[in-house]
Amino acid sequence: MREEKKTSLLRGLQVAAVCGAVLAANPSDAAIIGTTGQIEILDTPIWQSSFVPKSTSFLAFDEEQNVSLPRDIQISDPTNWDRLFDLDLIPKGTRVSSHFIYFRHTQQRQRLDARATIQFDGAIIGLMGDPALINPTNDLFAPNAIRSLSRFGTLDEVIAGNPRDMATITGNQGNKLEVHFTNHSATDPLRVITLATPVPEPLTLLGTATALGICPLLKRAYSQKQNKKQKDD
């Protein structure tokens, strides 16, 4: 019986170790978790492909997750996309995740528009709607980029009576983004920065994993004790 308990305990610790490895390898990322409207989610970032897909809808993908910023980064003023000075900053040391949305339609020389709502599982803390802000952060959020965004356009203010490109943060937790872009021929980009979901400390992971492995053993031992007590009675 003692040898059986020892084997069971060892097996439980092995399960706990495996669970701990799984938890550590899969931290909670602040990803896109829901969409409505004219939008498609790409499985692979465009930085890893040889071309930029076109669509009559928005295209979106997650970039780097849980990045601790090594420096301050500038973010756009959503009320004036053309403004590139005296901008707000996300400070160094903030842990963030990045996501990319763009509108590059297939029908050149014809202005089209697209509307969508995107929900993230982290609060939105900054937007970048101009390559002058996006490109300097590619090393943080798109380290495998094979191209810059130099040929991408800037989100537009009112042009010849056409509405400006809109990006509005909504939701009780500030984690939804409503977008409405119009596009004639360029590619309209938007990098979205969200607060990263905190990753549990290693000791917390170990404790959780150990509990996952040991609890079944405790339950089994309790059941055996109850059965023995009933026999004695």
Side-chain angles (χ1 to χ4, degrees):
M1 177 67 70
R2 182 176 299 174
E3 186 64 29
E4 180 181 348
K5 288 183 178 179
K6 182 178 179 181
T7 302
S8 297
L9 179 60
L10 179 60
R11 187 178 298 121
L13 290 174
Q14 290 172 339
V15 170
V18 171
C19 291
V22 171
L23 287 170
N26 293 277
S28 181
D29 293 342
I32 296 171
I33 60 173
T35 62
T36 58
Q38 298 166 265
I39 186 167
E40 302 172 33
I41 303 300
L42 300 178
D43 294 330
T44 303
I46 59 173
W47 318 127
Q48 299 176 16
S49 63
S50 59
F51 68 99
V52 179
K54 299 178 182 180
S55 174
T56 55
S57 300
F58 286 102
L59 296 174
F61 52 89
D62 292 315
E63 296 188 297
E64 291 295 295
Q65 307 284 284
N66 289 300
V67 176
S68 180
L69 295 179
R71 59 182 184 271
D72 297 346
I73 60 173
Q74 290 183 309
I75 53 176
S76 292
D77 175 359
T79 67
N80 185 355
W81 300 114
D82 291 337
R83 178 182 168 193
L84 295 176
F85 61 91
D86 193 25
L87 295 170
D88 288 337
L89 302 174
I90 300 178
K92 173 183 176 180
T94 307
R95 187 166 291 277
V96 302
S97 293
S98 180
H99 324 271
F100 203 86
I101 302 165
Y102 72 95
F103 182 34
R104 185 188 188 201
H105 69 74
T106 57
Q107 302 175 38
Q108 299 299 318
R109 298 187 179 86
Q110 180 180 351
R111 183 168 290 276
L112 298 179
D113 71 333
R115 297 174 182 266
T117 299
I118 307 100
Q119 183 175 359
F120 305 87
D121 65 0
I124 301 166
I125 58 173
L127 306 172
M128 299 177 185
D130 190 290
L133 302 178
I134 295 172
N135 283 336
T137 60
N138 280 348
D139 64 315
L140 303 177
F141 306 127
N144 297 320
I146 59 175
R147 63 174 64 79
S148 73
L149 284 171
S150 58
R151 70 175 181 275
F152 280 38
T154 298
L155 296 188
D156 296 329
E157 294 299 311
V158 177
I159 298 178
N162 293 303
R164 68 188 303 272
D165 292 326
M166 299 291 296
T168 306
I169 299 171
T170 64
N172 294 334
Q173 300 177 4
N175 64 334
K176 289 185 179 181
L177 187 68
E178 296 179 359
V179 287
H180 176 206
F181 291 1
T182 67
N183 190 314
H184 182 265
S185 58
T187 302
D188 291 341
L190 183 66
R191 177 164 280 158
V192 182
I193 308 299
T194 60
L195 274 178
T197 304
V199 180
E201 295 294 330
L203 288 177
T204 304
L205 286 175
L206 179 61
T208 302
T210 303
L212 289 173
I214 296 299
C215 282
L217 296 180
L218 295 177
K219 183 177 180 180
R220 185 184 307 166
Y222 178 76
S223 297
Q224 291 174 348
K225 184 176 180 180
Q226 287 294 99
N227 290 337
K228 184 176 183 302
K229 182 178 179 181
Q230 290 176 358
K231 288 181 181 180
D232 292 342
D233 292 344

